[in-house]
Coordinates of all heavy atoms in Angstrom, one line a residue:
T1182 N -11.5 20.4 -23.9 CA -12.9 20.7 -24.2 C -13.1 22.0 -24.9 O -14.2 22.2 -25.5 CB -13.7 20.8 -22.8 OG1 -13.2 21.7 -22.0 CG2 -13.8 19.5 -22.1
D1183 N -12.1 22.9 -24.8 CA -12.2 24.2 -25.6 C -11.7 24.0 -27.0 O -10.6 23.6 -27.2 CB -11.3 25.2 -24.8 CG -11.4 26.6 -25.5 OD1 -11.8 26.7 -26.6 OD2 -10.9 27.6 -24.8
P1184 N -12.6 24.2 -28.0 CA -12.2 24.0 -29.4 C -11.1 24.8 -29.9 O -10.4 24.4 -30.8 CB -13.5 24.3 -30.1 CG -14.4 25.1 -29.2 CD -14.0 24.8 -27.9
E1185 N -10.8 25.9 -29.1 CA -9.7 26.8 -29.6 C -8.3 26.5 -29.1 O -7.3 27.1 -29.6 CB -10.1 28.2 -29.2 CG -11.4 28.7 -29.8 CD -11.6 30.1 -29.9 OE1 -10.7 30.9 -29.3 OE2 -12.5 30.7 -30.6
V1186 N -8.2 25.6 -28.1 CA -6.9 25.3 -27.6 C -6.8 23.8 -27.1 O -7.7 23.3 -26.5 CB -6.5 26.3 -26.4 CG1 -7.5 26.1 -25.2 CG2 -5.1 26.1 -25.9
D1187 N -5.6 23.2 -27.5 CA -5.5 21.8 -27.1 C -5.0 21.7 -25.6 O -4.6 22.8 -25.0 CB -4.5 21.2 -28.1 CG -4.9 19.6 -28.2 OD1 -5.8 19.1 -27.5 OD2 -4.2 18.9 -29.0
S1188 N -5.1 20.6 -25.1 CA -4.7 20.4 -23.7 C -4.0 19.0 -23.5 O -4.7 18.0 -23.4 CB -5.9 20.4 -22.8 OG -5.5 20.5 -21.4
Y1189 N -2.7 19.0 -23.6 CA -2.0 17.7 -23.4 C -1.9 17.4 -21.9 O -2.1 16.2 -21.5 CB -0.6 17.8 -24.0 CG -0.6 17.9 -25.5 CD1 0.4 18.6 -26.2 CD2 -1.6 17.3 -26.3 CE1 0.5 18.8 -27.6 CE2 -1.5 17.5 -27.7 CZ -0.5 18.2 -28.3 OH -0.6 18.3 -29.6
S1190 N -1.6 18.4 -21.1 CA -1.5 18.1 -19.7 C -2.8 17.9 -19.0 O -3.8 18.6 -19.5 CB -0.8 19.3 -19.0 OG -1.1 19.4 -17.7
G1191 N -2.9 17.1 -18.0 CA -4.1 17.0 -17.2 C -4.4 18.2 -16.3 O -5.5 18.3 -15.7
F1192 N -3.4 19.1 -16.2 CA -3.5 20.2 -15.3 C -3.9 21.5 -16.0 O -4.8 22.2 -15.4 CB -2.2 20.5 -14.6 CG -1.7 19.4 -13.6 CD1 -0.9 18.4 -14.0 CD2 -2.3 19.3 -12.3 CE1 -0.5 17.4 -13.1 CE2 -1.9 18.4 -11.4 CZ -1.1 17.4 -11.7
Y1193 N -3.3 21.8 -17.1 CA -3.6 23.1 -17.8 C -3.7 22.8 -19.3 O -3.2 21.9 -19.8 CB -2.4 24.1 -17.6 CG -2.3 24.5 -16.1 CD1 -1.4 23.9 -15.3 CD2 -3.0 25.7 -15.8 CE1 -1.4 24.4 -14.0 CE2 -3.0 26.1 -14.5 CZ -2.1 25.5 -13.6 OH -2.1 25.9 -12.2
D1194 N -4.3 23.8 -20.1 CA -4.3 23.8 -21.4 C -3.0 24.2 -22.0 O -2.1 24.6 -21.1 CB -5.4 24.7 -22.0 CG -5.1 26.2 -21.7 OD1 -4.1 26.8 -22.2 OD2 -5.9 26.7 -20.9
N1195 N -2.7 24.0 -23.3 CA -1.4 24.2 -23.8 C -0.9 25.6 -23.8 O 0.2 25.9 -23.8 CB -1.3 23.6 -25.2 CG -1.5 22.2 -25.3 OD1 -1.6 21.5 -24.4 ND2 -1.3 21.6 -26.6
G1196 N -1.9 26.5 -23.6 CA -1.4 28.0 -23.4 C -1.3 28.3 -21.9 O -0.9 29.4 -21.6
H1197 N -1.5 27.3 -21.0 CA -1.3 27.5 -19.6 C -2.2 28.6 -19.1 O -1.9 29.3 -18.1 CB 0.2 27.8 -19.2 CG 0.8 26.6 -18.4 ND1 0.9 26.6 -17.0 CD2 1.2 25.5 -18.8 CE1 1.4 25.5 -16.7 NE2 1.6 24.8 -17.7
R1198 N -3.4 28.7 -19.7 CA -4.4 29.7 -19.3 C -5.4 29.2 -18.3 O -5.7 29.8 -17.3 CB -5.1 30.3 -20.4 CG -4.0 31.1 -21.3 CD -4.7 31.8 -22.5 NE -3.7 32.2 -23.5 CZ -3.6 31.6 -24.6 NH1 -4.4 30.7 -25.0 NH2 -2.6 31.9 -25.5
K1199 N -5.9 28.0 -18.7 CA -7.0 27.5 -17.8 C -6.6 26.2 -17.1 O -6.1 25.3 -17.7 CB -8.3 27.2 -18.6 CG -9.5 28.3 -18.4 CD -10.8 27.7 -18.9 CE -11.4 28.7 -19.9 NZ -12.2 28.1 -20.9
S1200 N -7.0 26.1 -15.8 CA -6.7 24.9 -15.1 C -7.9 24.0 -15.1 O -9.0 24.5 -15.2 CB -6.5 25.4 -13.6 OG -6.6 24.3 -12.8
T1201 N -7.6 22.7 -15.1 CA -8.7 21.7 -15.1 C -9.2 21.5 -13.6 O -10.2 21.0 -13.3 CB -8.2 20.3 -15.6 OG1 -7.2 19.9 -14.6 CG2 -7.7 20.4 -16.9
G1202 N -8.4 22.1 -12.7 CA -8.8 22.0 -11.3 C -8.1 20.8 -10.6 O -8.3 20.5 -9.4
M1203 N -7.3 20.1 -11.4 CA -6.7 18.8 -10.8 C -5.7 19.1 -9.7 O -5.6 18.4 -8.7 CB -6.1 18.0 -12.0 CG -5.7 16.6 -11.4 SD -5.4 15.4 -12.7 CE -3.8 15.9 -13.3
A1204 N -4.8 20.1 -9.9 CA -3.8 20.5 -8.9 C -4.5 20.9 -7.6 O -4.1 20.4 -6.5 CB -3.0 21.6 -9.4
E1205 N -5.5 21.8 -7.7 CA -6.2 22.2 -6.5 C -6.9 21.2 -5.8 O -6.7 21.0 -4.6 CB -7.3 23.2 -7.0 CG -6.7 24.6 -7.6 CD -6.4 24.4 -9.1 OE1 -6.4 23.2 -9.7 OE2 -6.1 25.4 -9.8
W1206 N -7.5 20.2 -6.5 CA -8.2 19.1 -6.0 C -7.3 18.2 -5.2 O -7.5 17.8 -4.1 CB -9.1 18.4 -7.1 CG -9.9 17.3 -6.5 CD1 -11.2 17.4 -6.0 CD2 -9.6 15.9 -6.3 NE1 -11.6 16.2 -5.5 CE2 -10.6 15.3 -5.7 CE3 -8.4 15.2 -6.5 CZ2 -10.6 13.9 -5.3 CZ3 -8.4 13.8 -6.3 CH2 -9.5 13.2 -5.6
L1207 N -6.1 17.9 -5.9 CA -5.1 16.9 -5.3 C -4.7 17.6 -3.9 O -4.5 16.9 -3.0 CB -4.0 16.7 -6.2 CG -4.3 15.8 -7.5 CD1 -3.2 15.8 -8.5 CD2 -4.6 14.3 -7.0
K1208 N -4.3 18.9 -4.0 CA -3.8 19.6 -2.8 C -4.9 19.5 -1.6 O -4.5 19.3 -0.5 CB -3.4 21.0 -3.1 CG -2.1 20.9 -3.9 CD -1.6 22.3 -4.4 CE -0.4 22.1 -5.4 NZ -0.1 23.3 -6.0
E1209 N -6.1 19.8 -2.0 CA -7.2 19.6 -1.0 C -7.2 18.3 -0.4 O -7.7 18.1 0.8 CB -8.6 19.9 -1.7 CG -9.0 21.3 -1.8 CD -10.1 21.5 -2.8 OE1 -10.9 20.6 -3.0 OE2 -10.2 22.6 -3.4
Q1210 N -6.9 17.2 -1.1 CA -7.0 15.9 -0.6 C -5.6 15.5 0.3 O -5.4 14.4 0.7 CB -7.0 14.8 -1.7 CG -8.0 15.0 -2.7 CD -9.4 15.1 -2.3 OE1 -9.8 14.2 -1.4 NE2 -10.2 16.2 -2.6
G1211 N -4.7 16.6 0.3 CA -3.5 16.3 1.1 C -2.4 15.6 0.3 O -1.5 15.1 0.8
I1212 N -2.6 15.6 -1.0 CA -1.6 14.8 -1.9 C -0.4 15.7 -2.1 O -0.5 16.9 -2.5 CB -2.3 14.5 -3.3 CG1 -3.5 13.6 -3.1 CG2 -1.2 13.9 -4.2 CD1 -3.2 12.2 -2.5
E1213 N 0.8 15.0 -1.9 CA 2.1 15.8 -2.1 C 3.0 15.1 -3.1 O 3.9 15.7 -3.5 CB 2.8 15.7 -0.7 CG 2.1 16.6 0.4 CD 2.7 16.4 1.7 OE1 2.9 15.3 2.2 OE2 3.0 17.4 2.3
E1214 N 2.6 13.9 -3.5 CA 3.4 13.1 -4.5 C 2.5 12.5 -5.5 O 1.4 12.0 -5.1 CB 4.2 12.1 -3.7 CG 5.1 11.2 -4.5 CD 6.0 10.3 -3.8 OE1 6.3 10.6 -2.5 OE2 6.5 9.4 -4.3
V1215 N 2.8 12.4 -6.7 CA 2.1 11.7 -7.8 C 2.8 10.7 -8.5 O 4.1 11.0 -8.8 CB 1.3 12.7 -8.8 CG1 0.4 13.6 -8.0 CG2 2.4 13.5 -9.5
H1216 N 2.3 9.6 -9.0 CA 2.9 8.6 -9.8 C 2.0 8.6 -11.1 O 0.8 8.5 -11.0 CB 2.9 7.2 -9.1 CG 3.7 7.3 -7.8 ND1 3.8 6.2 -7.0 CD2 4.5 8.2 -7.3 CE1 4.6 6.5 -6.0 NE2 5.1 7.7 -6.1
V1217 N 2.7 8.7 -12.2 CA 2.0 8.9 -13.5 C 2.2 7.7 -14.5 O 3.4 7.3 -14.7 CB 2.5 10.2 -14.2 CG1 1.6 10.5 -15.4 CG2 2.3 11.4 -13.2
L1218 N 1.1 7.3 -15.1 CA 1.1 6.2 -16.1 C 0.2 6.7 -17.2 O -0.7 7.4 -17.0 CB 0.9 4.9 -15.6 CG -0.5 4.6 -15.0 CD1 -1.5 4.4 -15.9 CD2 -0.4 3.3 -14.0
G1219 N 0.3 6.0 -18.4 CA -0.7 6.1 -19.4 C -0.1 6.5 -20.8 O 1.0 6.1 -21.1

Side-chain angles (χ1 to χ4, degrees):
T1182 56
D1183 180 344
E1185 301 202 346
V1186 63
D1187 210 353
S1188 189
Y1189 293 149
S1190 159
F1192 292 98
Y1193 290 96
D1194 64 69
N1195 290 3
H1197 248 261
R1198 292 183 200 110
K1199 251 197 238 148
S1200 161
T1201 60
M1203 188 160 81
E1205 298 79 352
W1206 186 87
L1207 288 169
K1208 286 171 189 174
E1209 275 166 26
Q1210 312 301 309
I1212 298 301
E1213 295 171 310
E1214 175 171 345
V1215 296
H1216 297 174
V1217 184
L1218 62 76

